[in-house]
Amino acid sequence: MHRTIVLVAATLALVIALAPATVAHKPITSKYTYHQDVFPVFEAKCSGCHAPDAVAPMSLLTYEDAYPWAQSIKEELVNLSMPPWQAESGFGAFKHGGSLTAKELDIVVEWSNGGTPEGEPVDRPPSHADGDDDESAAWILGPPSVVLTMPAAYTLAADTLGATRYFVIPSGFARDTPIRAVDVRPGASAIVRSVIVYVDSTGAAAALDAEDPEPGFEAPAGFATEQILAAWVPGQQAVALDAAAFHVPAGADLILRIAYKKTWTYEGLAVEDRTALGLHVWEQTVPTIEAMTLQPSAGVVPDAAGNLRFTHDLTRDVELLALVPDIAPGALVVQILAVGADGRRAPIIRLASPRPEWRTRYWLQSPLALSSGTRLEVQALFAEPPSSAEPPVRFLLDLVASGAPVTEAAPDELP
């Protein structure tokens, strides 16, 4: 009898082991479906990174690609880790906010919790992330006045997961030139995490480039540049200025600081990049944008609790157009308030858990007029004191001052 029981048990175990695997699936309770409701959210807010051959490890633009990641997507959204837009809603207003609306968040979360129904496929025009063979269509703002490309391609080696590299591109401008907008087109979208474009009229970057046998160079500590011409991250569109210009001096070089990072899909592969810039040149005379650095004075550091506070008093009337933050790792929150001479306080920006790897330019929805005597108050909280000797909080402010110099319209002949 005992032997019979053992044989039966063994037979049942073998049958179970050989039976086809079944996958548990949540019951369908969501009123939202992928094709009708979720895809429009992914296409509008996520496709800059989550598209075929883009910087994210998976595309979200088909149901087959998206639904296996539904739970991870929900967690990233609820934790405010994605999309990587760090400016808090309602604390200042910006042109290219990337956060999901409450309705969009509700759609994705309910779809994820409610069984991830597919819905009925629909015919759609090609996504902007699907690529386009038309050269002019590849530029967000239309055909640029000038296209400048890295002089040589750079290869991120097969055994290298990430790198930050600086590349020099001569502008070729024979005279001072006003720039209305800069569009960035990565050569290898899968590995280009961010691009910052600087202006250098000193030749210092070109000298460093000449000393490095590979394309580009690694910037030494204290490497200084004159102005940030553009700050780009995947999915963020270029902004065209309405009535101001960045100033590129005659003969200046443009310096590209490119942060490369591979996802697991490209590990062990060598990837080549040759990023290009599309410059849109003003055809009229406009005021020139100035760059002002907002940072703590020497010796001002976070206290034992991680709090950092410092101020700056404006000595002239200005209009603030945009901000580029440079925040040390470990910051929990950073904010700037403008305090007028009458004591009124106006929010400028608050960054929640800023991530240095997603450094970008925050364009104000409208220029903010700040009168002489206005005090800029900066407050930050760090989880632990930053270890670097560099200022832990620094903002580059793009502004136009009252009576600012103008840059004359560009010549008819451009390089």
Side-chain angles (χ1 to χ4, degrees), residues 80 85-88 331-335 350-355 362:
L80 302 180
W85 174 259
Q86 298 147 54
E88 185 175 310
L332 300 176
V333 63
V334 181
Q335 72 175 36
R350 178 185 286 149
L351 303 175
S353 299
R355 297 158 66 182
Y362 293 89

Side-chain angles (χ1 to χ4, degrees), residues 89-102:
S89 178
F91 199 97
F94 303 92
K95 288 187 176 181
H96 47 40
S99 301
L100 269 64
T101 65

Side-chain angles (χ1 to χ4, degrees), residues 194-276:
S194 68
V195 180
I196 298 180
V197 184
Y198 300 95
V199 177
D200 179 25
S201 60
T202 68
L208 291 169
D209 192 18
E211 295 173 359
D212 197 305
E214 294 188 47
F217 63 95
E218 293 185 7
F223 175 68
T225 52
E226 296 162 40
Q227 187 173 47
I228 293 179
L229 196 60
W232 175 92
V233 292
Q236 190 175 99
Q237 295 188 3
V239 171
L241 293 162
D242 295 326
F246 290 105
H247 173 225
V248 178
D253 294 323
L254 302 186
I255 316 303
L256 277 63
R257 178 192 182 276
I258 302 182
Y260 295 109
K261 186 176 181 180
K262 292 178 183 175
T263 61
W264 57 267
T265 55
Y266 283 85
E267 289 183 9
L269 300 177
V271 185
E272 183 179 280
D273 172 61
R274 196 174 183 187
T275 291

